[in-house]
């Protein structure tokens, strides 16, 4: 693994105070950066930390390079590298039905105990990514002849507890917002639910539920709303115990109305979706009855579904900046205890630097700190490891996901592969920028009160540097371009 030279280490203190000098051939780039920074300070007074480095990680220009700053969601790219190192690019997360006992071939009754093993697959019941479903799991049970199950739902997991909680590292102000649901092995549709209501057939009839996501949460939605004449709608929905209740009126000729909520009780959601899945598969489930006795104690896998491969999951998480997904990646890689400390150690091993403090895997905590120089060094060094091959492609391209605002001003999609970060007091943008002479590595971090103009200046920085940019090489070329055949970490 490449390390900083002693000469570079000696000047780190100077980097924190002054823009780094550049070679003569970089004079034009220097002028661009200094002009940009002067404008950034005018429009967004506050604390800036910026590093622009070449493909090898050598600093071309910087300000406050070694000052620890709030990284926000750019932590996700570090979490991605750590988890990929531990798990591998092709790792998958399984969801299974386990049983001890035997099947009565005459009645189709499972005689013995059974449990649903959830392992924190963020794609489970995610319709937008065609994720695996509990309906597929139930269909497998039906295929092997199961027609009757009895006993309450028992949840288990391979590691840790079959629960989901709000991370202690996250500020309580985030709880209940769609980007900050409970995190844990019990996860369906990223622990967010959605449903929509339409008018009944005529005035005086109840409103009807027309959509539920994930499929099966209808059992948790109580419809107390009535249909009235006309098109005016006065509907409201609110949490009610483990579920939700819809009240008010909806016009018979009015449009439908939908809501999205965080699932504060993910276990209740799992139970409702599993009940629907069994019903669809033609399996009778008596959850109130005790399990049918059986003397066997050998655990068998009765049905199993799997997530897409790790790289697909990581790309989705980074493109949409999914906080629960990043926390689950961290948990898979680091286990239920001390995972943030393991992530810190990984970043130090890759960069050879200090000043890193991480308490979560998503960057949603205000207490995370990373110097901008750590980011550019990580972007340079990690792809030179075996686990880092094609790493830039796990980040969104300009024009997609959280980089949608970079759809214009650059030659084409793929010139930039980067990660954004936003908190109440910080905006960040870290990533790769393709240029004819080789990629630039950029970390632009801002803390202050002028977040919107600071974000615009970060977009401007990437547009300026990438005005004549080229597409970052495709997967079969990135490894060579970034030297990924080097010694593994």
């Amino acid at each position: 693994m490449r390390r900083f030279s002693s000469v570079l280490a000696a000047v780190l203190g100077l980097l924190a105070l002054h823009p780094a000098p550049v070679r003569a051939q970089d004079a034009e780039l220097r002028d661009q950066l200094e002009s940009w920074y002067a404008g950034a300070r005018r429009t967004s007074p506050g604390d800036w930390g910026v590093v622009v480095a070449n493909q090898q990680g050598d600093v071309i220009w910087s300000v406050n390079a070694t000052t620890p700053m709030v990284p926000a969601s750019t932590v996700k790219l570090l979490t991605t590298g750590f988890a990929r190192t531990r798990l591998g690019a092709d790792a998958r997360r399984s969801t299974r039905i386990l049983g001890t006992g035997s099947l009565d071939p005459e009645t189709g009754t499972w005689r013995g105990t059974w449990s649903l093993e959830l392992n924190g697959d963020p794609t489970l019941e995610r319709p937008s990514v065609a994720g695996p479903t509990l309906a597929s799991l139930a269909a497998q049970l039906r295929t092997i002849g199961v027609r009757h199950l009895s006993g309450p739902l028992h949840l288990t997991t391979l590691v840790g507890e079959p629960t989901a909680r709000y991370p202690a590292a996250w500020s309580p102000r985030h709880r209940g917002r769609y980007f900050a649901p409970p995190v844990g092995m019990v996860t369906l549709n990223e622990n967010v639910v959605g449903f929509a209501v339409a008018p009944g057939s005529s005035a005086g009839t109840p409103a009807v539920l027309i959509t539920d996501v994930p499929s099966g949460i209808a059992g948790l939605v109580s419809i107390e709303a009535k249909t009235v004449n006309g098109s005016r709608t006065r509907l409201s929905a609110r949490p009610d115990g483990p579920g939700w209740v819809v009240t008010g009126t909806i016009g018979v000729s009015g449009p439908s109305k939908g809501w999205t909520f965080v699932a504060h009780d993910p276990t209740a959601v799992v139970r409702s979706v599993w009940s629907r899945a069994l019903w669809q598969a033609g399996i009778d489930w008596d959850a109130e009855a005790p399990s049918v006795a059986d003397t066997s104690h050998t655990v068998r896998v009765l049905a199993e579904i799997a997530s897409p491969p790790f790289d697909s999951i990581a790309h989705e998480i980074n493109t949409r900046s999914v906080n629960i997904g990043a926390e689950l990646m961290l948990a898979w890689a680091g286990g239920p205890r001390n995972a943030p400390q393991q992530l810190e150690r990984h970043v130090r091993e890759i960069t050879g630097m200090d000043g890193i403090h991480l308490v979560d895997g998503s960057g949603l905590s205000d207490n995370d700190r990373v110097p901008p120089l750590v980011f550019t060094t990580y972007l340079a060094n990690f792809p030179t490891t075996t686990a880092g091959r094609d790493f830039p492609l796990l980040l969104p391209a300009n024009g997609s996901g959280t980089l949608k605002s970079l759809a214009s001003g650059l030659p084409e999609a793929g010139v930039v592969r980067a990660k954004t970060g936003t908190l109440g007091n910080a905006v960040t943008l870290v990533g790769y920028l393709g240029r004819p002479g080789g990629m630039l590595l950029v970390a632009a971090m801002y803390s202050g009160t002028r977040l919107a103009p600071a974000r615009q200046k970060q977009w401007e920085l990437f547009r300026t540097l990438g005005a004549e940019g080229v597409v970052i090489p495709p997967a079969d070329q990135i490894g060579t371009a970034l030297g990924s055949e080097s010694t593994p970490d």
Side-chain angles (χ1 to χ4, degrees):
M1 183 189 307
R2 188 181 63 81
R3 300 295 187 189
F4 279 116
S5 68
S6 58
V7 174
L8 181 58
V11 301
L12 289 182
L14 296 176
L15 289 176
L17 299 175
H18 305 288
V22 298
R23 297 167 299 184
Q25 59 264 43
D26 293 322
E28 182 179 355
L29 181 58
R30 175 197 59 196
D31 291 343
Q32 288 179 322
L33 290 166
E34 290 180 349
S35 175
W36 169 84
Y37 184 57
R41 293 188 68 183
R42 285 194 302 271
T43 61
S44 298
D47 297 323
W48 282 92
V50 184
V51 174
V52 177
N54 64 19
Q55 190 164 297
Q56 291 71 42
D58 302 317
V59 176
I60 296 173
W61 187 92
S62 70
V63 62
N64 296 325
T66 60
T67 301
M69 300 188 69
V70 177
S73 280
T74 51
V75 168
K76 291 182 177 69
L77 70 84
L78 304 175
T79 301
T80 298
F82 169 61
R84 202 182 197 222
T85 299
R86 290 284 182 90
L87 304 171
D90 298 322
R92 296 175 185 264
R93 211 66 177 168
S94 293
T95 301
R96 309 189 295 181
I97 295 294
L98 305 178
T100 60
S102 60
L103 179 66
D104 184 334
E106 297 296 326
T107 64
T109 300
W110 178 255
R111 298 189 176 279
T113 62
W114 60 276
S115 61
L116 173 58
E117 182 187 89
L118 296 173
N119 292 305
D121 173 7
T123 69
L124 186 60
E125 296 287 345
R126 277 286 297 165
S128 63
V129 295
T133 65
L134 295 186
S136 296
L137 207 60
Q140 290 183 34
L141 288 182
R142 186 67 173 81
T143 297
I144 66 173
V146 176
R147 292 174 176 80
H148 303 282
L149 283 177
S150 61
L153 177 64
H154 177 63
L155 298 180
T156 186
T157 185
L158 283 170
V159 180
E161 300 178 5
T163 59
R165 303 185 181 94
Y166 291 104
W170 290 359
S171 170
R173 73 178 184 274
H174 298 312
R175 295 181 180 180
R177 306 182 72 177
Y178 74 92
F179 59 81
V183 177
M185 297 299 102
V186 180
T187 297
L188 290 189
N189 193 40
E190 298 171 7
N191 285 339
V192 173
V193 304
F195 52 87
V197 167
S201 57
S202 61
T205 61
V208 295
L209 188 72
I210 57 172
T211 303
D212 61 336
V213 178
S215 178
I217 64 159
L220 295 174
V221 181
S222 298
I223 306 295
E224 298 179 1
K226 299 295 182 182
T227 307
V228 296
N229 289 317
S231 60
R232 191 169 185 177
T233 294
R234 294 179 176 176
L235 289 177
S236 63
R238 56 178 170 78
D240 181 39
W244 299 268
V245 60
V246 180
T247 58
T249 59
I250 183 170
V252 68
S253 58
S256 60
K257 183 174 182 179
W259 297 266
T260 299
F261 286 98
V262 166
H264 295 287
D265 187 352
T267 297
V269 173
V270 171
R271 187 179 298 110
S272 185
V273 173
W274 179 236
S275 178
R276 171 63 178 251
L278 290 173
W279 175 80
Q280 288 179 317
I283 299 175
D284 176 59
W285 177 30
D286 188 349
E288 303 301 322
S291 300
V292 179
D294 188 274
T295 58
S296 173
H297 298 286
T298 302
V299 178
R300 297 167 49 193
V301 177
L302 304 181
E304 182 172 5
I305 52 179
S307 72
F310 174 84
D311 275 7
S312 295
I313 295 174
H315 183 267
E316 171 78 4
I317 288 169
N318 285 310
T319 298
R320 293 175 41 237
S321 201
V322 184
N323 292 313
I324 184 175
E327 298 298 343
L328 290 173
M329 286 198 304
L330 180 62
W332 303 344
R337 295 181 178 85
N338 302 319
Q341 290 83 356
Q342 295 177 55
L343 173 60
E344 276 188 27
R345 186 162 58 250
H346 163 80
V347 177
R348 289 193 182 96
E349 290 172 351
I350 295 295
T351 64
M353 296 185 65
D354 293 318
I356 307 153
H357 179 65
L358 299 173
V359 298
D360 67 356
S362 62
L364 193 56
S365 172
D366 298 315
N367 296 319
D368 293 318
R369 294 293 184 275
V370 180
L373 186 58
V374 166
F375 275 117
T376 55
T377 306
Y378 190 91
L379 293 179
N381 288 2
F382 184 65
T384 69
T385 69
T386 300
R389 182 174 177 82
D390 304 339
F391 179 66
L393 297 188
L394 299 184
L395 306 178
N398 51 298
S400 66
T402 58
L403 297 188
K404 187 176 181 179
S405 293
L406 277 178
S408 61
L410 291 167
E412 57 186 308
V415 169
V416 172
R417 292 279 180 172
K419 184 72 194 73
T420 59
T422 305
L423 279 176
N425 62 343
V427 289
T428 57
L429 183 58
V430 174
Y432 300 90
L433 196 157
R435 284 163 60 102
M439 286 194 296
L440 291 180
L441 316 176
V442 183
M445 307 178 72
Y446 169 82
S447 293
T449 59
R450 301 280 291 168
L451 300 184
R455 173 66 83 205
Q456 292 304 313
K457 294 302 291 186
Q458 290 169 351
W459 296 140
E460 179 187 314
L461 174 61
F462 273 72
R463 290 190 179 103
T464 299
L465 296 178
E468 298 179 356
V470 298
V471 173
I472 293 171
D476 60 351
Q477 298 175 31
I478 286 182
T480 302
L482 296 182
S484 69
E485 299 303 321
S486 303
T487 303
D489 62 346

